[in-house]
Amino acid sequence: MISKLNSKAIVYGVITYPIVYVAYVAFLNVLLPDDPGPYIDWIYALFNIVSWIGLLLPGYFAGRIAQEKGILHGFVVGILAGAGSSAFFAFVLSEQWLGESAVLNIVYYMAFITFTASVGGGLGQLHAKYRLAA
């Protein structure tokens, strides 16, 4: 079953993850003010919703390119992207990540990325299969 995976779809999905993450961090740190005040809180709420949707994109691209087994393709993208970024964060942010709850941080992060990428893969497969209007 694993041998029937589309490697091109998985590579594109894994490459998409750091692009989405860097865009998220850049937007968060550059465009949004440090002290939003009481009237700009809704911008942060909207930004959080959009960032969750952005986490669907790597799996979505994998499922859309593969056009079948989208959830499985998204799952593999999530595992690879989650493992890679967890290793990167553990290396770069070792003080924060390798504290008392390092294992919980890594497990939570990988589970979250894997879940969102799997959902995105399923959506990408549905979009490819039924040609839904985007």
Side-chain angles (χ1 to χ4, degrees):
M1 183 158 118
I2 298 293
S3 64
K4 295 185 181 190
L5 291 178
N6 186 338
S7 60
K8 177 183 171 184
I10 292 172
V11 168
Y12 280 20
V14 171
I15 289 173
T16 303
Y17 180 76
I19 294 169
V20 169
Y21 190 80
V22 167
Y24 166 77
V25 170
F27 187 79
L28 183 65
N29 291 328
V30 173
L31 297 178
L32 292 179
D34 290 335
D35 187 22
Y39 299 108
I40 306 180
D41 285 342
W42 64 271
I43 292 176
Y44 277 95
L46 181 65
F47 179 71
N48 284 332
I49 292 169
V50 170
S51 66
W52 277 59
I53 293 170
L55 288 175
L56 297 173
L57 289 178
Y60 172 82
F61 288 135
R64 179 83 165 104
I65 292 169
Q67 298 184 355
E68 61 182 25
K69 299 180 185 163
I71 293 175
L72 183 61
H73 281 87
F75 180 80
V76 172
V77 165
I79 290 288
L80 294 176
S85 57
S86 291
F88 176 76
F89 290 146
F91 180 70
V92 173
L93 305 172
S94 60
E95 295 173 3
Q96 290 92 355
W97 273 64
L98 297 180
E100 295 175 9
S101 61
V103 174
L104 289 176
N105 286 341
I106 291 171
V107 168
Y108 168 75
Y109 189 76
M110 285 190 61
F112 181 72
I113 297 302
T114 302
F115 173 75
T116 56
S118 299
V119 170
L123 292 173
Q125 177 187 347
L126 285 174
H127 189 184
K129 185 175 181 180
Y130 295 110
R131 305 282 189 247
L132 300 174

